[in-house]
């Protein structure tokens, strides 16, 4: 065997040859790269020629230009990729747009303006808890020379001047009609309020929903567009209605024979983040702890209790937090990290989520939790719906546990591709003189080194346990098959700190 084959061994005439080959000399494997897929609707105005393929989007502006400003897609992307910069950074974000649902309807809200101004001032319109979008405000100037009709017209103009508004505004006399820019049940969360800051200036405003958003999309066919790529996080804008389709596509590791993305020959699973403004523990756990959810690890709640924001904005905030954290520091969790851009209740009331006992109850029922700290939602627990009865230490309760398993698989996969796939197999003690050969003891050593590396990164603990439980052998009935088995212990994280101090009095002190 020649050390170099840059010049073929059959050559005899005088010549010099030089060849460069790609090599991989990393002594440790990288973290699993994260990527995000957004499943959401485009605006009605953008339905003609709508691109429904999986498309990488690098800015909120690009999302607005293609799918419509103020659409669910744009609203999610403006959280993931803020106009001011930063956000999810270099982590890829893909959009699979859904068209308007059949027999759909866009929600409508009316603002009826009455009264005669008594002075000049400013009143503030809030749409879904926001008085502005990316610096463009809905505030309305009130002049003493105005009347109800002119103020209504100015409110409509101000709404239409906010490019990222989720609705358009029309006016008839003193009534402003706000219409969601897209059809579907997701538009039914459209809300509006008018704040006078304690100075009504002789004016009053009545707000009422006049048309409910209707129509639900299915996502089963769209999930197939993800293909063979490993997209780790899905932003599910549809919430509960898409759960079963997502679970069917993704599968579960807890099945006797895992299927879907958890299947052994596929193994590219994902978590699907959904948002909810529900604040009652019984109502939210009725969703997460449904019998069909208890053995599933796909759907993960990003709570925003009593928020007036859209549910999918909460899911986007969850993706914004989790994707960079799990890409750069998969040994950690989102505990104690606040949402970046989500309206919070003005009175600070987040319902049952404010009490620790309730949060403890909810986690045991497969429900993530938040608290309200310094006027921001702050993650307390980030969990899947996996909650089998009678299992107090459910293996895949926490999303962090999934990420640990996935990082171990990714590290193993890279080493497998370099050292095993399409290599000739020989016995452990055989001396060889050719390339692309793997021996059981050689592979065992490589996997053992992987254990040390994973322990250094605190993905696992006790690497010796993995090594002691590592078995490699050539299959007994198929000589073209190398079988490997190992066990490992995931690292924990200090979610609870419990200390007991004993105090007493000092006696006889002079």
């Amino acid at each position: 065997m020649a050390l170099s084959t840059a010049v073929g061994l059959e050559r005899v005439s005088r010549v010099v040859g030089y060849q460069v080959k790609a090599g991989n000399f990393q002594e440790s494997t990288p973290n699993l790269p994260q990527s995000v897929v957004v499943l959401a609707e485009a605006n009605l105005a953008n339905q003609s020629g709508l691109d429904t393929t999986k498309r990488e989007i690098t800015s909120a502006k690009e999302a607005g230009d293609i799918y419509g400003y103020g659409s669910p897609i744009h609203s999610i992307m403006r959280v993931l990729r803020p106009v001011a910069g930063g956000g999810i950074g270099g982590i890829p974000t893909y959009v699979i747009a859904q068209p308007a649902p059949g027999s759909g309807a866009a929600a409508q809200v009316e603002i009826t303006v009455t009264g005669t101004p008594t002075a000049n001032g400013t009143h503030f319109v809030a749409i879904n808890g926001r008085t502005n979008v990316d610096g463009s405000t809905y505030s309305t100037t009130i002049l003493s020379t105005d009347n109800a009709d002119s103020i209504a017209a100015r409110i409509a103009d101000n709404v239409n001047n906010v490019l990222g508004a989720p609705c358009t505004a029309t006016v008839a006399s003193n009534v402003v009609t706000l219409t969601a820019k897209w059809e579907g049940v997701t538009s039914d969360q459209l809300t509006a309020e008018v704040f006078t800051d304690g100075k009504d200036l002789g004016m009053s405003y009545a707000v009422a929903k006049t048309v409910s958003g209707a129509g639900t999309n299915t996502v089963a066919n769209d999930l197939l567009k993800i293909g063979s790529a490993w997209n780790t996080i899905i932003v599910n804008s549809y919430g509960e209605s898409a759960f079963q389709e997502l679970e069917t596509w993704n599968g579960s590791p807890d099945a006797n024979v895992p299927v879907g993305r958890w299947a052994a020959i596929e193994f590219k699973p994902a978590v699907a983040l959904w948002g909810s403004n529900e604040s009652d523990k019984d109502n939210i756990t009725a969703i997460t702890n449904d019998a069909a959810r208890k053995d599933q690890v796909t759907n993960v709640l990003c709570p925003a209790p009593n928020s007036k924001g859209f549910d999918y904005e909460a899911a986007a905030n969850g993706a914004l937090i989790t994707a960079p954290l799990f890409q750069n520091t998969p040994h950690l969790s989102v505990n104690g990290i606040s949402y970046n851009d989500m309206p919070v209740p003005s009175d600070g009331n987040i319902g049952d989520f404010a009490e620790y006992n309730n949060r403890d109850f909810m986690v045991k029922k497969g429900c993530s939790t938040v608290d309200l700290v310094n006027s921001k939602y702050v993650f307390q627990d980030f969990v899947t719906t996996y909650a089998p009865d009678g299992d107090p230490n459910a293996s895949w309760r926490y999303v962090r546990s999934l990420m640990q398993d996935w990082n171990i698989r990714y590290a193993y996969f890279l080493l497998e591709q370099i050292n095993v796939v399409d290599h000739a197999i020989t016995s452990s003690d055989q001396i060889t003189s050719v390339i692309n050969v793997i021996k059981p003891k050689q592979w065992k050593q490589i996997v053992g080194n992987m254990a040390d590396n994973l322990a250094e990164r605190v993905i696992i603990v006790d690497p010796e346990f993995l090594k002691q439980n590592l078995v490699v052998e050539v299959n007994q009935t198929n000589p073209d098959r190398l079988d490997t088995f190992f066990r490992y212990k995931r690292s924990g994280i200090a979610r609870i700190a419990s200390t007991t101090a004993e105090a007493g009095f000092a006696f006889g002190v002079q």
Side-chain angles (χ1 to χ4, degrees):
M1 176 66 183
L3 292 177
S4 171
T5 56
V7 177
L9 296 178
E10 77 282 5
R11 300 294 188 179
V12 294
S13 180
R14 186 173 183 271
V15 72
V16 173
Y18 182 87
Q19 179 183 14
V20 176
K21 299 175 68 174
N24 189 325
F25 310 116
Q26 288 183 228
E27 295 185 2
S28 64
T29 54
N31 297 329
L32 171 65
Q34 300 289 307
S35 65
V36 177
V37 172
V38 174
L39 297 175
E41 292 167 81
N43 283 342
L44 280 172
N46 297 75
Q47 292 294 313
S48 178
L50 178 65
D51 182 1
T52 60
T53 63
K54 177 186 171 186
R55 177 168 181 161
E56 186 169 6
I57 301 296
T58 59
S59 69
K61 180 183 183 302
E62 184 181 10
D65 289 342
I66 297 172
Y67 305 110
Y69 288 87
S71 65
I73 294 172
H74 172 253
S75 296
I76 290 168
M77 288 300 299
R78 63 168 294 280
V79 173
L80 294 176
R81 299 195 175 277
V83 173
I88 205 167
I91 294 173
T93 48
Y94 300 91
V95 168
I96 302 176
Q98 284 79 56
S103 303
Q108 289 188 346
V109 174
E110 286 186 353
I111 303 174
T112 302
V113 185
T114 56
T116 301
T118 57
N120 297 339
T122 302
H123 287 169
F124 302 90
V125 176
I127 297 176
N128 286 95
R130 300 181 186 275
T131 57
N132 74 88
V133 177
D134 296 330
S136 298
T137 69
Y138 302 117
S139 60
T140 297
T141 301
I142 308 295
L143 302 176
S144 60
T145 55
D146 277 328
N147 57 38
D149 291 2
S150 62
I151 293 172
R154 195 173 297 126
I155 290 174
D157 287 342
N158 291 339
V159 170
N160 290 329
N161 286 336
V162 176
L163 185 63
C167 56
T168 57
T170 56
V171 64
S173 186
N174 66 326
V175 178
V176 181
T177 300
L178 305 177
T179 304
K181 292 179 177 178
W182 71 99
E183 290 182 344
V185 70
T186 53
S187 73
D188 197 49
Q189 284 192 309
L190 180 69
T191 63
E193 299 169 278
V194 182
F195 297 102
T196 64
D197 199 22
K199 302 175 183 177
D200 59 36
L201 307 175
M203 304 304 300
S204 62
Y205 306 90
V207 180
K209 178 174 287 185
T210 55
V211 176
S212 296
T216 302
N217 277 308
T218 60
V219 299
N221 290 334
D222 295 302
L223 289 167
L224 299 179
K225 298 174 184 177
I226 291 176
S228 61
W230 196 347
N231 296 121
T232 53
I233 296 173
I234 295 172
V235 177
N236 165 24
S237 68
Y238 302 106
E240 188 180 1
S241 68
F243 279 7
Q244 187 169 348
E245 290 173 299
L246 285 159
E247 289 165 351
T248 299
W249 168 80
N250 197 42
S252 171
D254 202 25
N256 289 330
V257 180
V259 296
R261 305 290 282 194
W262 280 96
I265 60 175
E266 176 76 14
F267 205 91
K268 293 175 181 173
V271 289
L273 310 187
W274 62 289
S276 174
N277 62 13
E278 178 60 61
S279 63
D280 184 281
K281 64 180 177 62
D282 295 320
N283 291 341
I284 196 65
T285 56
I287 298 172
T288 61
N289 201 231
D290 181 87
R293 307 277 87 80
K294 289 184 178 184
D295 62 349
Q296 297 293 322
V297 299
T298 299
N299 294 293
V300 178
L301 171 64
C302 299
N306 290 335
S307 174
K308 289 187 170 65
F310 288 99
D311 285 347
Y312 50 71
E313 293 179 293
N317 274 273
L320 174 64
I321 292 170
T322 57
L325 183 137
F326 287 131
Q327 169 130 339
N328 300 321
T329 53
H331 65 293
L332 298 179
S333 188
V334 301
N335 307 345
I337 303 178
S338 60
Y339 289 14
N340 186 61
D341 186 358
M342 191 69 193
V344 299
S346 56
D347 61 2
N349 176 19
I350 60 170
D352 287 341
F353 283 81
E355 296 293 332
Y356 174 77
N357 284 340
N358 293 332
R359 295 198 298 269
D360 187 57
F361 169 84
M362 287 187 275
V363 169
K364 294 170 183 175
K365 302 291 186 181
C367 176
S368 302
T369 68
V370 294
D371 200 358
L372 194 63
V373 181
N374 296 326
S375 298
K376 283 184 177 291
Y377 293 111
V378 177
F379 267 125
Q380 302 300 304
D381 306 280
F382 193 52
V383 301
T384 73
T385 61
Y386 187 79
D389 293 332
D391 186 357
N393 297 305
S395 187
W396 293 288
R397 167 178 288 156
Y398 295 100
V399 178
R400 175 182 181 265
S401 298
L402 297 179
M403 292 296 171
Q404 288 170 288
D405 290 347
W406 298 355
N407 270 275
I408 293 166
R409 165 54 184 152
Y410 184 65
Y412 187 84
F413 170 79
L414 294 180
L415 295 173
E416 203 173 32
Q417 294 298 307
I418 296 169
N419 299 286
V420 175
V421 174
D422 294 328
H423 282 48
I425 305 173
T426 190
S427 62
S428 291
D429 298 327
Q430 177 63 52
I431 298 173
T432 62
S433 61
V434 292
I435 61 173
N436 294 339
V437 175
I438 187 65
K439 306 174 185 179
K441 74 173 183 181
Q442 179 186 12
W443 180 233
K444 192 170 183 178
Q445 181 179 10
I446 292 169
V447 176
N449 292 339
M450 179 193 76
D452 290 331
N453 174 250
L454 291 170
E456 289 171 6
R457 292 155 54 197
V458 201
I459 303 295
I460 67 169
V461 296
D462 194 359
E464 294 305 316
F465 175 81
L466 187 152
K467 296 175 189 178
Q468 291 164 7
N469 286 275
L470 173 60
V471 180
V472 180
E473 67 178 19
V474 180
N475 187 265
Q476 298 294 320
T477 59
N478 184 351
D480 295 332
R481 173 172 173 150
L482 188 68
D483 289 338
T484 305
F485 172 85
F486 61 87
R487 295 185 176 96
Y488 60 86
K489 300 176 182 178
R490 302 189 198 104
S491 66
I493 195 166
R495 303 180 193 280
I496 298 173
S498 177
T499 303
T500 301
E502 186 171 344
F505 291 101
F507 297 94
V509 176
Q510 300 268 329

